[in-house]
Amino acid sequence: VEGLLCLRRQLQSRRILLRISGVTRRVSIVLLFALNIASGYLAMLVAMTYSVELFICMVIGLVVGHAIFNTEAAVGESVDPCCASQAIAHTNDAKQHEAENMSA
């Protein structure tokens, strides 16, 4: 999950695969998003089995994946579409507030 999120973030910011054309790039971003959502729901299904061993393995895997791939990512980043606009608005508000403090 964390590796897919990191790969998708780098693809969107054009850090990797610079030669990919617009349509191919967009399709690959959409496919990575689909894989990210599917793996998230699969992790939810594992958690819903109420097997403590599987749950602990899933949590450890997510923590290790986050430690390897996303320790430098912005805090509060969400792949949840309903919260994405709030996260963007919150970031813009924080930048505006910081700019006001600098000018005062």
Side-chain angles (χ1 to χ4, degrees), residues 42-86:
L42 185 62
M44 180 186 65
L45 287 173
V46 167
M48 291 175 59
T49 62
Y50 298 109
S51 172
V52 175
E53 299 85 8
L54 288 176
F55 181 75
I56 290 172
C57 288
M58 182 186 64
V59 170
I60 289 172
L62 286 170
V63 168
V64 169
H66 181 75
I68 293 171
F69 294 110
N70 292 322
T71 53
E72 295 182 16
V75 175
E77 180 175 294
S78 175
V79 295
D80 190 8
C82 71
C83 301
S85 61
Q86 294 173 358

Side-chain angles (χ1 to χ4, degrees), residues 3 8 11 28 30 32 35 37 39 44 50-51 69 71 78 80-81 83 94-95 99 104:
R8 193 176 56 135
L11 189 62
S28 60
V30 168
L32 284 173
L35 282 172
I37 295 297
S39 61
M44 180 186 65
Y50 298 109
S51 172
F69 294 110
T71 53
S78 175
D80 190 8
C83 301
K95 287 179 184 176

